[in-house]
Amino acid sequence: MLNSPGVYEYLINVTIGTPPQNITLIIDTGSSDLWVNTNASCSAFDDSADAALCNQLGVYDPTNSSTFVNYTATDESFILNVTYLTGYVLGSQGSETVGLGSPEVRISNMTFGLAEESPVGVGIMGIGFELNEAEEIMFPTIVDQLYNQGFIDSHLFGLYLDDVDAATGNIVFGGYDEDKIVNDSLIFLPIVPIQLPGNTTGFYLEYLVELDGINITTGTGNSTAFQNTTAFAVLDSGTTALELPNDALSYLVNVTSATFDETFGAYLVDCDAYPADTSEYISFTFHDQRNGTTKSLNVSFYELVVPLDQSTCALAVEPAETDNFLILGGPFLRSTYVIFDLDEEMIVMGQTLFNTTASNIAEVPANSTEGPFNVSSIAPTITFSYTGLPTTTNIGIGNDGTATST
Protein backbone atom coordinates (compact mmCIF):
# COMPACT_ATOMS: atom_id res chain seq x y z
CA MET A 1 0.00 0.00 0.00
CA LEU A 2 0.99 3.62 -0.30
CA ASN A 3 2.49 4.55 3.01
CA SER A 4 3.64 8.02 2.12
CA PRO A 5 3.04 11.39 3.78
CA GLY A 6 -0.32 12.93 3.07
CA VAL A 7 -2.10 9.79 1.85
CA TYR A 8 -5.54 9.81 3.41
CA GLU A 9 -6.96 7.63 6.14
CA TYR A 10 -10.41 8.18 7.66
CA LEU A 11 -10.70 8.63 11.39
CA ILE A 12 -13.43 8.61 14.00
CA ASN A 13 -13.33 9.93 17.56
CA VAL A 14 -14.55 7.57 20.26
CA THR A 15 -14.32 7.41 24.03
CA ILE A 16 -13.05 4.44 26.00
CA GLY A 17 -13.38 3.82 29.71
CA THR A 18 -15.08 5.33 32.73
CA PRO A 19 -14.66 8.25 32.95
CA PRO A 20 -14.40 8.50 29.14
CA GLN A 21 -10.97 8.93 27.56
CA ASN A 22 -10.94 10.55 24.10
CA ILE A 23 -9.34 8.38 21.42
CA THR A 24 -9.14 8.79 17.62
CA LEU A 25 -9.17 5.62 15.49
CA ILE A 26 -8.92 4.64 11.84
CA ILE A 27 -12.17 3.24 10.41
CA ASP A 28 -11.10 0.06 8.64
CA THR A 29 -13.37 -2.22 6.62
CA GLY A 30 -10.36 -4.41 5.83
CA SER A 31 -9.87 -5.67 9.39
CA SER A 32 -11.98 -6.57 12.40
CA ASP A 33 -9.94 -5.87 15.51
CA LEU A 34 -10.34 -2.86 17.79
CA TRP A 35 -7.12 -1.70 19.40
CA VAL A 36 -5.74 1.50 20.91
CA ASN A 37 -2.35 2.97 21.67
CA THR A 38 -1.11 3.21 25.25
CA ASN A 39 1.68 5.08 26.98
CA ALA A 40 3.93 2.08 26.28
CA SER A 41 3.35 2.08 22.52
CA CYS A 42 3.58 5.85 22.17
CA SER A 43 6.86 5.99 24.06
CA ALA A 44 8.29 3.15 21.94
CA PHE A 45 8.43 5.25 18.77
CA ASP A 46 11.97 6.23 17.76
CA ASP A 47 10.70 9.17 15.73
CA SER A 48 9.58 12.11 17.89
CA ALA A 49 6.96 13.09 15.31
CA ASP A 50 5.37 9.63 15.54
CA ALA A 51 5.32 9.85 19.32
CA ALA A 52 3.78 13.32 19.22
CA LEU A 53 1.09 12.17 16.81
CA CYS A 54 0.36 9.16 19.00
CA ASN A 55 -0.19 11.39 22.01
CA GLN A 56 -2.21 13.90 19.98
CA LEU A 57 -4.69 11.26 18.76
CA GLY A 58 -5.29 9.85 22.21
CA VAL A 59 -3.58 7.44 24.59
CA TYR A 60 -5.65 5.00 26.61
CA ASP A 61 -4.66 4.53 30.25
CA PRO A 62 -6.39 1.54 31.89
CA THR A 63 -5.42 2.69 35.38
CA ASN A 64 -7.72 5.68 34.96
CA SER A 65 -10.82 3.62 34.21
CA SER A 66 -13.17 1.85 36.62
CA THR A 67 -14.67 -0.37 33.88
CA PHE A 68 -11.50 -1.92 32.48
CA VAL A 69 -11.19 -5.71 32.72
CA ASN A 70 -7.73 -7.12 32.02
CA TYR A 71 -8.04 -10.47 30.22
CA THR A 72 -4.29 -11.01 29.83
CA ALA A 73 -3.63 -10.67 33.56
CA THR A 74 -5.70 -13.78 34.29
CA ASP A 75 -4.99 -15.74 31.10
CA GLU A 76 -1.84 -15.14 29.06
CA SER A 77 -3.45 -16.67 25.96
CA PHE A 78 -5.33 -13.37 25.56
CA ILE A 79 -2.75 -11.40 23.63
CA LEU A 80 -2.89 -8.75 20.94
CA ASN A 81 -0.92 -9.80 17.87
CA VAL A 82 -2.08 -8.20 14.60
CA THR A 83 -0.08 -7.90 11.40
CA TYR A 84 -0.79 -5.21 8.79
CA LEU A 85 1.07 -4.29 5.61
CA THR A 86 2.66 -1.43 7.56
CA GLY A 87 3.87 -3.60 10.44
CA TYR A 88 2.63 -5.44 13.51
CA VAL A 89 0.81 -4.59 16.73
CA LEU A 90 1.67 -6.40 19.96
CA GLY A 91 0.09 -6.05 23.38
CA SER A 92 -2.61 -7.33 25.70
CA GLN A 93 -6.40 -7.68 25.65
CA GLY A 94 -9.24 -6.61 27.87
CA SER A 95 -12.78 -5.26 27.82
CA GLU A 96 -14.10 -1.76 28.28
CA THR A 97 -16.98 0.61 27.76
CA VAL A 98 -16.70 2.24 24.32
CA GLY A 99 -18.61 5.42 23.47
CA LEU A 100 -19.61 6.50 19.97
CA GLY A 101 -21.43 9.61 18.85
CA SER A 102 -22.80 12.71 20.50
CA PRO A 103 -24.89 12.09 22.54
CA GLU A 104 -22.92 8.97 23.16
CA VAL A 105 -23.95 5.40 22.54
CA ARG A 106 -22.11 3.48 25.29
CA ILE A 107 -21.18 -0.10 24.37
CA SER A 108 -20.35 -2.17 27.43
CA ASN A 109 -17.98 -5.14 27.67
CA MET A 110 -16.29 -4.39 24.34
CA THR A 111 -13.22 -6.56 23.82
CA PHE A 112 -10.25 -4.59 22.54
CA GLY A 113 -6.47 -4.60 22.37
CA LEU A 114 -3.99 -2.44 24.26
CA ALA A 115 -0.92 -1.92 22.10
CA GLU A 116 2.53 -2.02 23.62
CA GLU A 117 4.17 -1.84 20.19
CA SER A 118 2.50 -0.48 17.06
CA PRO A 119 3.60 0.70 13.59
CA VAL A 120 1.50 3.87 13.59
CA GLY A 121 0.46 6.58 16.01
CA VAL A 122 -3.24 5.84 15.71
CA GLY A 123 -5.30 2.80 16.67
CA ILE A 124 -7.81 0.99 14.49
CA MET A 125 -11.53 0.27 14.68
CA GLY A 126 -11.98 -2.73 12.41
CA ILE A 127 -15.54 -3.19 11.13
CA GLY A 128 -15.12 -6.40 9.15
CA PHE A 129 -16.39 -9.93 9.78
CA GLU A 130 -15.63 -11.51 13.14
CA LEU A 131 -13.73 -14.33 11.40
CA ASN A 132 -11.21 -11.76 10.17
CA GLU A 133 -10.02 -11.02 13.71
CA ALA A 134 -6.35 -11.74 14.16
CA GLU A 135 -6.53 -13.41 17.58
CA GLU A 136 -7.09 -17.11 18.10
CA ILE A 137 -9.94 -16.38 20.53
CA MET A 138 -12.54 -14.34 18.69
CA PHE A 139 -14.97 -11.87 20.24
CA PRO A 140 -17.92 -9.87 18.90
CA THR A 141 -16.85 -6.93 16.74
CA ILE A 142 -18.05 -3.41 17.36
CA VAL A 143 -20.81 -3.90 14.74
CA ASP A 144 -21.84 -7.11 16.51
CA GLN A 145 -21.97 -5.35 19.88
CA LEU A 146 -24.04 -2.46 18.53
CA TYR A 147 -26.52 -5.08 17.37
CA ASN A 148 -26.29 -7.36 20.42
CA GLN A 149 -26.90 -4.47 22.82
CA GLY A 150 -29.91 -3.18 20.90
CA PHE A 151 -28.50 0.00 19.41
CA ILE A 152 -29.15 -1.12 15.81
CA ASP A 153 -31.61 -3.61 14.31
CA SER A 154 -29.38 -5.10 11.62
CA HIS A 155 -25.74 -6.00 11.03
CA LEU A 156 -25.34 -3.36 8.37
CA PHE A 157 -23.65 -0.01 7.81
CA GLY A 158 -23.35 2.60 5.07
CA LEU A 159 -20.06 4.36 4.39
CA TYR A 160 -19.76 7.84 2.85
CA LEU A 161 -16.26 9.29 2.53
CA ASP A 162 -17.13 12.07 0.06
CA ASP A 163 -14.52 13.44 -2.34
CA VAL A 164 -10.77 13.82 -1.92
CA ASP A 165 -11.10 17.41 -0.66
CA ALA A 166 -13.94 16.75 1.76
CA ALA A 167 -13.67 17.70 5.40
CA THR A 168 -16.64 15.57 6.48
CA GLY A 169 -18.22 12.21 5.80
CA ASN A 170 -20.21 9.65 7.74
CA ILE A 171 -20.74 6.04 8.62
CA VAL A 172 -24.28 4.94 9.45
CA PHE A 173 -24.64 1.78 11.55
CA GLY A 174 -27.93 -0.03 11.12
CA GLY A 175 -28.87 1.89 7.98
CA TYR A 176 -27.65 4.11 5.19
CA ASP A 177 -28.06 7.63 3.81
CA GLU A 178 -30.24 7.64 0.69
CA ASP A 179 -29.31 11.21 -0.23
CA LYS A 180 -25.63 10.38 -0.68
CA ILE A 181 -26.19 8.09 -3.68
CA VAL A 182 -26.61 9.06 -7.35
CA ASN A 183 -30.03 7.94 -8.61
CA ASP A 184 -30.23 4.64 -10.52
CA SER A 185 -26.57 3.78 -9.93
CA LEU A 186 -27.01 0.99 -7.37
CA ILE A 187 -25.36 -2.37 -7.86
CA PHE A 188 -26.15 -5.45 -5.73
CA LEU A 189 -23.25 -7.87 -5.24
CA PRO A 190 -23.01 -10.99 -3.10
CA ILE A 191 -19.98 -11.09 -0.82
CA VAL A 192 -17.75 -13.91 -2.01
CA PRO A 193 -17.07 -16.56 0.65
CA ILE A 194 -13.65 -18.12 1.07
CA GLN A 195 -13.67 -21.83 0.31
CA LEU A 196 -10.79 -24.06 1.35
CA PRO A 197 -9.76 -27.08 -0.75
CA GLY A 198 -11.84 -30.12 0.14
CA ASN A 199 -14.61 -28.09 1.80
CA THR A 200 -18.03 -27.75 0.21
CA THR A 201 -19.05 -24.73 2.26
CA GLY A 202 -17.29 -21.38 2.48
CA PHE A 203 -16.94 -18.76 5.17
CA TYR A 204 -17.06 -14.97 5.09
CA LEU A 205 -13.74 -13.38 5.88
CA GLU A 206 -13.50 -10.10 3.93
CA TYR A 207 -15.71 -7.75 1.94
CA LEU A 208 -14.76 -9.55 -1.26
CA VAL A 209 -16.72 -9.09 -4.50
CA GLU A 210 -16.40 -10.17 -8.12
CA LEU A 211 -15.14 -7.58 -10.59
CA ASP A 212 -15.94 -8.09 -14.28
CA GLY A 213 -13.70 -5.49 -15.89
CA ILE A 214 -11.75 -2.24 -15.81
CA ASN A 215 -11.83 0.55 -18.40
CA ILE A 216 -9.76 3.72 -18.49
CA THR A 217 -11.22 6.72 -20.33
CA THR A 218 -8.91 9.59 -21.25
CA GLY A 219 -9.56 13.22 -22.17
CA THR A 220 -9.83 12.34 -25.85
CA GLY A 221 -12.82 10.14 -25.06
CA ASN A 222 -10.93 6.96 -25.85
CA SER A 223 -11.75 4.04 -23.56
CA THR A 224 -9.32 1.16 -23.14
CA ALA A 225 -10.42 -2.11 -21.55
CA PHE A 226 -8.42 -4.14 -19.06
CA GLN A 227 -9.15 -7.12 -16.83
CA ASN A 228 -11.61 -8.76 -19.19
CA THR A 229 -11.70 -11.92 -17.10
CA THR A 230 -13.38 -12.08 -13.70
CA ALA A 231 -11.26 -10.87 -10.82
CA PHE A 232 -11.90 -10.48 -7.12
CA ALA A 233 -11.67 -7.22 -5.19
CA VAL A 234 -11.59 -6.39 -1.48
CA LEU A 235 -13.33 -3.17 -0.36
CA ASP A 236 -10.88 -1.76 2.17
CA SER A 237 -11.19 1.71 3.70
CA GLY A 238 -7.91 1.20 5.54
CA THR A 239 -5.98 1.00 2.26
CA THR A 240 -5.28 4.42 0.83
CA ALA A 241 -4.70 3.35 -2.78
CA LEU A 242 -6.26 1.48 -5.66
CA GLU A 243 -4.55 -1.74 -6.60
CA LEU A 244 -4.63 -2.21 -10.36
CA PRO A 245 -3.53 -5.00 -12.73
CA ASN A 246 -0.09 -4.30 -14.16
CA ASP A 247 -1.29 -3.52 -17.68
CA ALA A 248 -3.92 -1.06 -16.41
CA LEU A 249 -1.43 0.59 -14.07
CA SER A 250 1.18 0.97 -16.80
CA TYR A 251 -1.38 2.53 -19.11
CA LEU A 252 -2.60 4.91 -16.40
CA VAL A 253 0.94 6.01 -15.54
CA ASN A 254 1.60 6.67 -19.24
CA VAL A 255 -1.55 8.71 -19.94
CA THR A 256 -1.12 10.79 -16.76
CA SER A 257 2.61 11.36 -17.39
CA ALA A 258 3.31 10.17 -13.85
CA THR A 259 6.87 9.35 -12.83
CA PHE A 260 7.90 6.93 -10.13
CA ASP A 261 9.91 8.50 -7.31
CA GLU A 262 12.07 6.22 -5.18
CA THR A 263 12.14 8.63 -2.24
CA PHE A 264 8.37 8.78 -1.88
CA GLY A 265 7.78 5.30 -3.30
CA ALA A 266 4.94 6.71 -5.37
CA TYR A 267 3.95 7.83 -8.87
CA LEU A 268 4.27 11.63 -8.84
CA VAL A 269 2.01 13.90 -10.88
CA ASP A 270 1.29 17.61 -11.13
CA CYS A 271 -1.01 18.56 -8.25
CA ASP A 272 -3.20 20.57 -10.66
CA ALA A 273 -3.21 17.98 -13.43
CA TYR A 274 -6.95 17.31 -13.25
CA PRO A 275 -9.89 19.54 -12.31
CA ALA A 276 -12.69 18.22 -10.16
CA ASP A 277 -14.97 18.00 -13.22
CA THR A 278 -12.46 16.10 -15.36
CA SER A 279 -13.90 13.71 -17.94
CA GLU A 280 -11.06 11.23 -17.39
CA TYR A 281 -11.81 8.27 -15.17
CA ILE A 282 -11.41 4.58 -14.39
CA SER A 283 -14.55 2.44 -14.70
CA PHE A 284 -15.02 -0.68 -12.60
CA THR A 285 -17.63 -3.04 -14.03
CA PHE A 286 -19.72 -5.43 -11.95
CA HIS A 287 -22.51 -7.96 -12.57
CA ASP A 288 -25.62 -6.78 -10.72
CA GLN A 289 -27.05 -9.73 -8.77
CA ARG A 290 -30.46 -8.08 -8.59
CA ASN A 291 -31.28 -8.00 -12.29
CA GLY A 292 -28.39 -9.68 -14.11
CA THR A 293 -27.20 -6.52 -15.83
CA THR A 294 -23.63 -5.24 -16.08
CA LYS A 295 -23.06 -1.82 -14.52
CA SER A 296 -20.03 0.36 -13.89
CA LEU A 297 -18.89 2.74 -11.17
CA ASN A 298 -16.36 5.44 -11.98
CA VAL A 299 -13.33 6.84 -10.20
CA SER A 300 -12.30 10.23 -11.57
CA PHE A 301 -8.61 10.94 -12.16
CA TYR A 302 -9.15 13.87 -9.78
CA GLU A 303 -9.85 11.40 -6.96
CA LEU A 304 -6.53 9.67 -7.63
CA VAL A 305 -4.34 12.73 -7.01
CA VAL A 306 -3.34 13.12 -3.36
CA PRO A 307 -0.77 15.45 -1.75
CA LEU A 308 2.41 14.07 -0.27
CA ASP A 309 3.55 17.46 1.00
CA GLN A 310 2.74 21.10 0.25
CA SER A 311 4.17 20.95 -3.28
CA THR A 312 4.20 17.26 -4.25
CA CYS A 313 1.33 15.03 -5.32
CA ALA A 314 1.03 11.39 -6.31
CA LEU A 315 -1.42 8.98 -7.88
CA ALA A 316 -3.02 6.85 -5.17
CA VAL A 317 -2.45 3.65 -7.13
CA GLU A 318 -0.14 0.68 -6.89
CA PRO A 319 0.32 -2.68 -8.64
CA ALA A 320 -1.72 -5.63 -7.47
CA GLU A 321 0.22 -8.69 -6.36
CA THR A 322 -1.80 -10.72 -8.86
CA ASP A 323 -3.97 -9.39 -11.67
CA ASN A 324 -7.05 -11.29 -10.53
CA PHE A 325 -7.05 -10.14 -6.89
CA LEU A 326 -7.26 -6.40 -6.22
CA ILE A 327 -7.79 -4.08 -3.28
CA LEU A 328 -10.16 -1.18 -3.88
CA GLY A 329 -9.13 1.39 -1.29
CA GLY A 330 -9.65 5.10 -0.68
CA PRO A 331 -10.18 6.43 -4.23
CA PHE A 332 -12.83 3.81 -4.99
CA LEU A 333 -14.59 4.13 -1.64
CA ARG A 334 -14.66 7.93 -1.94
CA SER A 335 -16.30 7.57 -5.34
CA THR A 336 -18.92 5.03 -4.23
CA TYR A 337 -21.42 4.91 -1.40
CA VAL A 338 -21.17 1.37 -0.04
CA ILE A 339 -23.68 -0.48 2.12
CA PHE A 340 -22.06 -3.43 3.87
CA ASP A 341 -24.80 -5.94 4.80
CA LEU A 342 -23.36 -8.62 7.06
CA ASP A 343 -26.74 -10.30 7.64
CA GLU A 344 -27.43 -10.92 3.96
CA GLU A 345 -23.72 -11.23 2.98
CA MET A 346 -24.34 -8.54 0.41
CA ILE A 347 -22.65 -5.38 -0.84
CA VAL A 348 -24.87 -2.66 -2.27
CA MET A 349 -23.05 0.29 -3.79
CA GLY A 350 -23.74 3.27 -6.00
CA GLN A 351 -21.98 6.31 -7.34
CA THR A 352 -21.31 8.86 -4.59
CA LEU A 353 -23.17 12.13 -4.72
CA PHE A 354 -20.31 14.43 -3.75
CA ASN A 355 -20.50 17.49 -1.53
CA THR A 356 -24.16 17.27 -0.62
CA THR A 357 -25.56 18.48 2.68
CA ALA A 358 -28.82 16.60 2.11
CA SER A 359 -29.37 13.60 4.35
CA ASN A 360 -32.13 11.01 4.50
CA ILE A 361 -31.24 8.16 6.83
CA ALA A 362 -32.97 4.85 6.11
CA GLU A 363 -32.98 2.47 9.05
CA VAL A 364 -33.01 -1.21 8.08
CA PRO A 365 -35.32 -3.27 10.32
CA ALA A 366 -34.59 -6.57 12.00
CA ASN A 367 -35.08 -9.79 10.03
CA SER A 368 -35.00 -8.05 6.68
CA THR A 369 -35.53 -10.66 3.96
CA GLU A 370 -34.59 -8.51 0.98
CA GLY A 371 -31.41 -6.85 2.15
CA PRO A 372 -30.97 -3.14 2.76
CA PHE A 373 -33.79 -1.98 0.52
CA ASN A 374 -36.53 -3.74 2.40
CA VAL A 375 -36.94 -0.59 4.48
CA SER A 376 -39.98 -0.13 6.69
CA SER A 377 -39.35 3.45 7.75
CA ILE A 378 -37.16 6.48 7.29
CA ALA A 379 -35.89 7.21 10.77
CA PRO A 380 -32.84 8.36 12.68
CA THR A 381 -30.26 5.67 13.34
CA ILE A 382 -26.70 5.74 14.64
CA THR A 383 -24.65 8.05 12.46
CA PHE A 384 -21.05 8.96 13.14
CA SER A 385 -19.24 11.68 11.23
CA TYR A 386 -15.60 12.57 10.91
CA THR A 387 -14.78 16.25 10.57
CA GLY A 388 -11.68 18.31 10.04
CA LEU A 389 -9.48 19.36 7.15
CA PRO A 390 -7.01 16.99 5.52
CA THR A 391 -3.54 17.32 7.03
CA THR A 392 -0.10 16.10 6.07
CA THR A 393 1.65 13.75 8.46
CA ASN A 394 4.36 11.15 8.22
CA ILE A 395 2.10 8.12 8.55
CA GLY A 396 -0.54 8.81 5.97
CA ILE A 397 -3.29 10.26 8.11
CA GLY A 398 -5.51 12.64 6.20
CA ASN A 399 -8.93 13.33 7.70
CA ASP A 400 -9.10 13.93 11.44
CA GLY A 401 -12.50 13.85 13.00
CA THR A 402 -15.09 13.89 15.69
CA ALA A 403 -18.06 11.60 16.08
CA THR A 404 -21.60 12.90 16.11
CA SER A 405 -24.89 11.08 16.40
CA THR A 406 -28.30 11.84 14.96
Side-chain angles (χ1 to χ4, degrees), residues 6 10 59 63 102 119 130-131 150 160 249 271 285 339 372:
Y10 294 91
V59 179
T63 64
S102 177
E130 182 179 306
L131 281 176
Y160 177 71
L249 179 62
C271 292
T285 302
I339 303 165

Side-chain angles (χ1 to χ4, degrees), residues 148-290:
N148 294 341
Q149 297 183 27
F151 296 115
I152 57 177
D153 288 334
S154 54
H155 285 86
L156 174 148
F157 60 92
L159 185 64
Y160 177 71
L161 300 183
D162 209 350
D163 70 15
V164 70
D165 299 317
T168 62
N170 65 56
I171 179 169
V172 180
F173 291 100
Y176 61 97
D177 194 334
E178 293 185 318
D179 284 352
K180 300 295 191 292
I181 309 168
V182 173
N183 288 337
D184 301 322
S185 67
L186 287 171
I187 300 173
F188 288 66
L189 299 172
I191 298 173
V192 178
I194 304 298
Q195 189 167 331
L196 298 178
N199 289 350
T200 58
T201 59
F203 55 90
Y204 293 96
L205 190 66
E206 297 182 290
Y207 298 126
L208 183 69
V209 296
E210 285 193 21
L211 172 66
D212 284 354
I214 297 173
N215 285 66
I216 298 178
T217 300
T218 63
T220 62
N222 293 328
S223 181
T224 304
F226 303 92
Q227 196 63 52
N228 292 319
T229 58
T230 298
F232 297 96
V234 175
L235 306 180
D236 184 3
S237 65
T239 296
T240 56
L242 283 178
E243 285 192 357
L244 296 175
N246 283 299
D247 55 354
L249 179 62
S250 296
Y251 182 80
L252 179 68
V253 168
N254 182 56
V255 298
T256 58
S257 301
T259 57
F260 188 78
D261 184 276
E262 294 285 351
T263 301
F264 285 105
Y267 294 96
L268 304 188
V269 291
D270 185 338
C271 292
D272 298 319
Y274 301 100
D277 60 354
T278 181
S279 59
E280 300 182 72
Y281 56 88
I282 306 175
S283 291
F284 295 87
T285 302
F286 302 91
H287 187 77
D288 192 331
Q289 180 77 10
R290 175 182 49 174

Side-chain angles (χ1 to χ4, degrees), residues 34-59:
L34 171 66
W35 63 268
V36 298
N37 277 301
T38 64
N39 286 316
S41 59
C42 285
S43 61
F45 286 112
D46 294 329
D47 190 304
S48 60
D50 287 332
L53 182 69
C54 187
N55 284 284
Q56 174 190 345
L57 296 180
V59 179

Side-chain angles (χ1 to χ4, degrees), residues 88 108 186 268 295 316 323 343 348 378:
Y88 57 85
S108 59
L186 287 171
L268 304 188
K295 297 176 74 173
D323 284 352
D343 285 329
V348 181
I378 305 300

